[in-house]
Amino acid sequence: MEDEISKIVIRAAAVSLWYGAKRALSDVTMEIREKCVTAFIGPSGCGKSTFLRLFNRMNDLIEGVRITGSVTIDGTDIYRDSLDVVDLRRKVGMIFQKSNPFPKSVYENVAYGPRIQGIKRKSDLDAIVERCLRQSALWDEVKDGLYHSALGLSGGQQQRLCIARALAVKPEILLMDEPASALDPLSTAKIEELIYTLKTDYTIVIVTHNMQQASRVSDYTAFFYMGELVEYDKTPVMFTSPKLKRTEDYITGRFG
Amino acid sequence: MKASKKATGAGIVLLTGLCAFGIIGVVVFVMGTIIAGGHGMMTWKFLTSAPAQGMTAGGIFPAIVGTFFLVLIMSIVGVPVGTITAIYLSEYVRQDSWIAKSIRFAVNTLAGIPSIVFGLFGLGFFIQFVGRNMDRLFTPEGQLVWGQPCILWASLTMALLTLPVVIVSVEEAVRAVPKELREASLALGATKWETIIRIVLPNSITGILTGGILAVSRGAGEVAPILFTGAAYFLPHLPTKLSDQFMELGYHVYIMSTQSTNVEETAGIQYATTLVLLLLTFALNFSAIYLRYWMRKRSLQ
Amino acid sequence: MATQTDLIPRRLLQTKPRLRPLEFVAEKMLALVAFVSIFFIILILIFVFRESLPLVIGTASDDIGKVSIKRIFDAAWMPVSNHPQYGLLALIIGSLKVTLVSMCFAFPVAILAALFTSTFAPKWAKELMKPAIEILAGFPSVVIGFFALTVLASVFQNVFHLHYRLNAFTGGIALSLAVIPIIYTVAEDSINVLPKSMKEASFALGATKWETSLFVLLPAATPGVFAAFLLGLGRAFGETMIVLMATGNAALISPDIFEPVRTMSATIGAEMAEVVFGDAHYNMLFFIGVCLFVFSFSLNAVAELVVRQRLMKRFRGSV
């Protein structure tokens, strides 16, 4: 039933990627649906993070990268020459595996994006900061210490701060590269809860090596192996009756 | 182990240890003699009054002022240029491109040129070429304002000399900014330039400061480049314009100890001036070292 | 979920890159400034050479008449006299003598000290050496020159019963004080970056500490040690203040290191202030400067090429 209602927001067609001579992705074709959580799973080095980074062109920062195929977001080919990459990155936000708050105050971390966009008035910024910190379930914990250094927060709090920071530029899509892998179980649970609430407003793609997390949190799951997309389906289907044996082997823990 | 092997081993440890501790000893000895010879004259009056009675009495205030202005102008020019070069090298060019290689080669070469050649350059380019042409364009007939040794040209010469120091220091600091911070900024939709201004630069301030301090320390200590580009032994008043000559600590020591008419009488002043110079470079170097240590510690957290 | 005003308008992906003039201008301006160093190297070459050009093209002259570049082979260096002589031999020999003395002393001492700190020294000694070397490196050369002139010269004169108080030996030893930190730092660094596995392999074969450091570590660090040597050499040859103050400044030619000398750099330093702009003496001093520049440039180029090449070969080939 979700198929019919939610439209496709990201379309990847026959995408391959090379780091120099080494091929990291082979002919991946898939679609990401709007306001759903899509999880990428697979063993280390299978290309899931690399594929994720295609969506906000963060791979551009690596020297010697070559890409074939097409990636379109909302119908626009994001690899065309005339695309404004800076703008793309505002619309497609990213949360990294290891939280990387700026060595500034909590407030300034969240306000960074809006400031870049030109918002100067303090009242506007205050509103944005509060809104985003509330959205990332961090407001109550930091509201009395907004001007303290972000580096003083715990790992889990820093990661939620990074989420708030990304939300502040009003993205439509959120890419999360193993957002909870460096966190303790309690913080992980909080992040998963957060993902669940965020999906009503944002399209979320999450890379995780934790299959239980994928099954808890996502609506769709894609299994990658050695640079190829092996299987992609609705999460309940993937985890109860996967079509391919390789998928089943990975999910049941026979390798990976 | 054979006895002879053990003996050789002990001998080598002894020899190398002697060299190492000998170096330490020499450092202590040099500092000791200068402190011993100069501390007597080191009074507040000495530091704040002008020389008198044909340099045999009085203080070295003008030399301190001259040195100060020299390094000030030098830093105003040199630190921004060095910082920008370092940022360009580490943020904008690929490390194996010919641009990066040639800039680095140029910087390394600059670092290896004898300081006296910088003095020659100051004379041949700044004074004779730029200065004379400036006079041709701006100064009334017959006068020589810019086409002669003065503090402006001496400072610019020093800025060139200390450029490699600034570049190396700033580059180290810029590279120490974790790539994750840059990624985070770019992923939020900031441009490269915005990322540099808002994230990279503020986090490299210590490196810029260190570079500046080390440059100032070199600038205050090197005498060869200013021998004929602007320093003078006795001037009746302090420098007030860029085209003035200036007195300088190191130059003062040099002239006084080699060419003054009463070397014995002024011995105390020589030692004291040397001590002032030594303490100055000491303080500067130590703050730079401490800053660098603090910066390294911070980035490891 | 919308709260107040939607402050950052949601919009479809821009299909045209927003003109970012600031980015473009910023990058170009930065590049311009960054090229300053290359620009000035070339300028230095041009302008130092330019002022010595009259000698080469034959237009240089002094009070007496024309002075050609061949005059550098004159018998002596006496530019200020009734019959001026512009022979460079004495000056070159002076530079060589002083450099020789300083390198013969500084190189072994610095290398041995580096060996000590990297292999034998207990932690407290290492902690002591570091600041000591930094302090030594931080001494302005005029301070070392002053020390040599007032203290060292007297000490040496008494100990060695020297005829001349200021001479090549005294100047050379003083010069080594400035050169030792350079050689030490580069050498120690190149020993420390050697992989630990090398040391461990040697120990595992039953070698002692000193055998390991002399026969395994030091040879493996040869490119770095060689670079240290070249850098020290370059510094020694080009140093001005120390030799100006401590070598006696007499342009003599003699094999005796206890006699005064005049180095090339000191000649420029001592005479440039007094020289008449534009005459042959002035041109000659610039010519000496060109020689110094070319010498240090070549040394630098050799050090970079050789060290880089050998380092690359060694570490890509072996490990």
Side-chain angles (χ1 to χ4, degrees):
Chain A
M1 52 170 191
E2 277 178 79
D3 273 341
E4 286 75 87
I5 300 177
S6 48
K7 65 177 223 250
I8 311 287
V9 116
I10 305 180
R11 238 181 255 274
V15 173
S16 296
L17 184 148
W18 284 264
Y19 291 126
K22 181 165 168 282
R23 189 177 200 166
L25 289 172
S26 306
D27 242 12
V28 180
T29 299
M30 62 140 37
E31 292 137 2
I32 308 282
R33 286 182 165 69
E34 193 184 32
K35 298 207 173 129
C36 294
V37 179
T38 307
F40 291 171
I41 59 172
S44 314
C46 65
K48 52 193 198 291
S49 287
T50 310
F51 188 63
L52 185 79
R53 289 175 157 235
L54 284 177
F55 299 154
N56 66 350
R57 290 186 60 166
M58 285 301 271
N59 284 323
D60 288 5
L61 301 176
I62 304 173
E63 289 181 11
V65 162
R66 191 165 64 91
I67 300 165
T68 56
S70 82
V71 182
T72 55
I73 298 186
D74 272 342
T76 314
D77 177 358
I78 63 172
Y79 278 90
R80 64 197 286 170
D81 288 328
S82 58
L83 186 90
D84 188 354
V85 177
V86 172
D87 210 47
L88 170 70
R89 294 196 181 126
R90 186 196 58 72
K91 179 179 161 119
V92 181
M94 179 167 252
I95 312 296
F96 298 84
Q97 183 174 355
K98 189 164 179 317
S99 60
N100 49 9
F102 300 129
K104 297 173 189 265
S105 67
V106 170
Y107 184 95
E108 281 304 322
N109 262 278
V110 184
Y112 181 77
R115 277 194 204 278
I116 302 261
Q117 301 301 322
I119 296 177
K120 289 206 231 309
R121 262 208 319 230
K122 183 141 198 322
S123 52
D124 294 337
L125 289 171
D126 286 349
I128 294 177
V129 171
E130 183 174 338
R131 169 170 63 85
C132 295
L133 287 171
R134 281 191 192 280
Q135 274 189 296
S136 61
L138 192 60
W139 174 251
D140 289 324
E141 291 167 57
V142 296
K143 66 179 186 229
D144 295 321
L146 280 180
Y147 299 99
H148 294 166
S149 169
L151 300 178
L153 299 177
S154 74
Q157 290 172 323
Q158 285 187 11
Q159 195 61 305
R160 276 178 282 150
L161 176 64
C162 290
I163 294 177
R165 182 177 66 181
L167 293 177
V169 292
K170 282 196 171 286
E172 289 174 16
I173 303 169
L174 279 177
L175 307 175
M176 302 197 181
D177 194 347
E178 305 205 35
S181 64
L183 302 176
D184 60 271
L186 199 60
S187 309
T188 303
K190 284 201 176 144
I191 300 269
E192 290 181 10
E193 228 181 273
L194 190 52
I195 294 176
Y196 194 74
T197 49
L198 286 174
K199 79 169 182 188
T200 39
D201 294 299
Y202 304 94
T203 304
I204 299 180
V205 185
I206 169 172
V207 165
T208 177
H209 64 258
N210 181 339
M211 279 173 297
Q212 288 75 28
Q213 182 172 87
S215 62
R216 281 193 294 265
V217 135
S218 65
D219 303 304
Y220 290 84
T221 302
F223 170 52
F224 285 84
Y225 183 66
M226 304 245 289
E228 285 179 6
L229 173 61
V230 176
E231 197 172 334
Y232 177 50
D233 210 328
K234 297 214 249 303
T235 300
V237 175
M238 282 286 275
F239 281 92
T240 51
S241 42
K243 293 194 181 68
L244 294 173
K245 184 168 188 306
R246 220 185 316 169
T247 315
E248 191 183 334
D249 284 347
Y250 180 70
I251 288 174
T252 54
R254 247 173 244 151
F255 73 92
Chain B
M1 217 192 323
K2 270 189 9 216
S4 64
K5 216 194 225 192
K6 241 188 169 175
T8 327
I12 290 183
V13 176
L14 195 68
L15 186 64
T16 55
L18 217 72
C19 289
F21 286 107
I23 294 177
I24 300 179
V26 164
V27 172
V28 172
F29 182 54
V30 174
M31 292 202 322
T33 48
I34 294 180
I35 294 176
H39 82 278
M41 288 214 67
M42 279 275 284
T43 60
W44 188 246
K45 194 145 176 286
F46 180 70
L47 296 173
T48 51
S49 50
Q53 297 169 26
M55 295 292 187
T56 55
I60 50 165
F61 183 64
I64 296 179
V65 169
T67 311
F68 173 72
F69 280 125
L70 176 73
V71 299
L72 182 69
I73 302 172
M74 174 194 89
S75 307
I76 291 176
V77 174
V79 174
V81 171
T83 305
I84 292 175
T85 308
I87 290 180
Y88 184 74
L89 262 184
S90 51
E91 304 286 316
Y92 279 96
V93 291
R94 280 176 47 155
Q95 295 315 305
D96 53 351
S97 64
W98 67 268
I99 297 181
K101 285 193 191 157
S102 10
I103 296 183
R104 280 191 207 287
F105 181 72
V107 172
N108 278 334
T109 312
L110 262 182
I113 295 180
S115 46
I116 192 82
V117 176
F118 281 101
L120 282 177
F121 176 67
L123 183 59
F125 176 70
F126 286 126
I127 296 180
Q128 301 296 7
F129 183 70
V130 180
R132 294 222 163 183
N133 282 315
M134 277 172 73
D135 277 339
R136 205 166 291 162
L137 292 172
F138 304 125
T139 328
E141 258 318 306
Q143 277 181 35
L144 213 58
V145 170
W146 298 106
Q148 59 180 353
C150 60
I151 194 166
L152 176 63
W153 305 134
S155 311
L156 291 183
T157 309
M158 277 301 191
L160 198 57
L161 178 83
T162 54
L163 199 60
V165 171
V166 178
I167 292 177
V168 167
S169 206
V170 175
E171 224 198 322
E172 189 189 348
V174 166
R175 282 187 188 288
V177 175
K179 142 170 105 85
E180 290 80 42
L181 292 185
R182 287 191 186 80
E183 280 190 338
S185 175
L186 289 171
L188 285 166
T191 64
K192 194 176 204 162
W193 176 245
E194 283 167 335
T195 306
I196 290 177
I197 291 287
R198 291 171 182 269
I199 303 292
V200 176
L201 213 53
N203 281 297
S204 334
I205 286 287
T206 358
I208 298 175
L209 228 67
T210 310
I213 294 176
L214 287 173
V216 167
S217 170
R218 274 303 289 276
E222 287 278 356
V223 178
I226 58 172
L227 282 176
F228 35 83
T229 50
Y233 184 51
F234 178 73
L235 293 169
H237 48 74
L238 297 173
T240 48
K241 4 185 230 308
L242 287 174
S243 53
D244 280 345
Q245 290 193 303
F246 62 104
M247 288 170 72
E248 204 260 356
L249 287 170
Y251 186 76
H252 207 73
V253 174
Y254 163 59
I255 298 286
M256 197 178 258
S257 59
T258 54
Q259 293 167 29
S260 73
T261 42
N262 22 32
V263 179
E264 273 81 48
E265 277 182 50
T266 53
I269 300 182
Q270 291 169 35
Y271 271 100
T273 315
T274 310
L275 183 59
V276 171
L277 187 57
L278 199 59
L279 289 175
L280 181 66
T281 42
F282 222 71
L284 289 168
N285 285 340
F286 262 100
S287 33
I289 291 171
Y290 182 71
L291 259 179
R292 180 173 280 160
Y293 170 70
W294 182 72
M295 171 177 86
R296 291 216 178 115
K297 244 179 63 161
R298 213 174 55 136
S299 69
L300 284 173
Q301 277 173 352
Chain C
M1 264 246 50
T3 40
Q4 308 138 319
T5 24
D6 240 30
L7 287 160
I8 306 177
R10 288 178 161 221
R11 56 178 179 273
L12 273 172
L13 283 171
Q14 300 260 69
T15 49
K16 241 195 345 237
R18 203 165 85 199
L19 260 142
R20 295 181 192 274
L22 183 61
E23 282 294 298
F24 181 75
V25 168
E27 179 171 347
K28 296 309 168 208
M29 297 256 76
L30 290 196
L32 212 70
V33 173
F35 277 93
V36 158
S37 32
I38 303 183
F39 180 60
F40 271 93
I41 292 271
I42 301 176
L43 270 187
I44 291 179
L45 192 61
I46 295 178
F47 278 90
V48 173
F49 186 64
R50 180 191 192 235
E51 299 295 317
S52 60
L53 201 56
L55 280 171
V56 177
I57 59 178
T59 58
S61 63
D62 56 11
D63 293 337
I64 310 235
K66 287 239 176 277
V67 174
S68 88
I69 192 82
K70 295 210 198 75
R71 296 288 293 277
I72 61 172
F73 299 112
D74 281 354
W77 174 263
M78 282 190 311
V80 191
S81 80
N82 290 327
H83 297 283
Q85 306 243 335
Y86 302 102
L88 290 190
L89 190 64
L91 307 180
I92 298 177
I93 290 186
S95 289
L96 286 176
K97 263 167 99 171
V98 171
T99 306
L100 191 72
V101 171
S102 77
M103 287 305 282
C104 283
F105 183 69
F107 186 70
V109 170
I111 297 292
L112 290 174
L115 262 170
F116 182 74
T117 350
S118 58
T119 353
F120 309 120
K123 196 148 192 272
W124 63 264
K126 277 192 226 198
E127 296 297 307
L128 203 60
M129 256 322 245
K130 244 167 112 10
I133 288 287
E134 297 257 18
I135 295 175
L136 187 58
F139 280 161
S141 47
V142 65
V143 168
I144 299 179
F146 176 74
F147 171 74
L149 173 62
T150 43
V151 177
L152 211 60
S154 308
V155 167
F156 284 161
Q157 189 169 39
N158 292 331
V159 169
F160 297 109
H161 308 293
L162 301 175
H163 184 83
Y164 297 102
R165 194 166 170 272
L166 301 178
N167 51 67
F169 177 76
T170 310
I173 299 294
L175 189 52
S176 22
L177 291 183
V179 168
I180 283 177
I182 300 175
I183 302 181
Y184 173 89
T185 320
V186 177
E188 207 227 352
D189 222 41
S190 53
I191 295 179
N192 282 337
V193 294
L194 294 174
K196 229 169 55 142
S197 49
M198 224 183 254
K199 217 198 256 191
E200 288 170 356
S202 176
F203 288 150
L205 289 166
T208 58
K209 251 190 183 171
W210 70 264
E211 285 169 323
T212 305
S213 62
L214 270 184
F215 302 131
V216 176
L217 297 180
L218 199 55
T222 307
V225 170
F226 184 59
F229 174 77
L230 288 180
L231 288 170
L233 188 70
R235 178 70 202 273
F237 199 79
E239 171 58 42
T240 306
M241 293 318 292
I242 299 179
V243 291
L244 246 187
M245 294 168 89
T247 55
N249 279 310
L252 305 172
I253 302 181
S254 111
D256 188 350
I257 58 170
F258 294 107
E259 287 197 5
V261 286
R262 204 21 138 51
T263 67
M264 294 165 76
S265 48
T267 306
I268 303 176
E271 298 178 6
M272 188 51 96
E274 307 298 307
V275 108
V276 173
F277 163 67
D279 90 342
H281 189 189
Y282 174 87
N283 300 134
M284 270 297 173
L285 291 178
F286 268 90
F287 181 72
I288 298 177
V290 171
C291 295
L292 284 176
F293 179 80
V294 169
F295 181 76
S296 71
F297 185 86
S298 328
L299 214 63
N300 206 54
V302 169
E304 268 207 40
L305 277 165
V306 170
V307 173
R308 194 142 303 169
Q309 256 185 24
R310 286 173 76 170
L311 264 175
M312 289 291 104
K313 241 175 43 179
R314 200 174 275 266
F315 284 105
R316 266 202 214 131
S318 52
V319 184

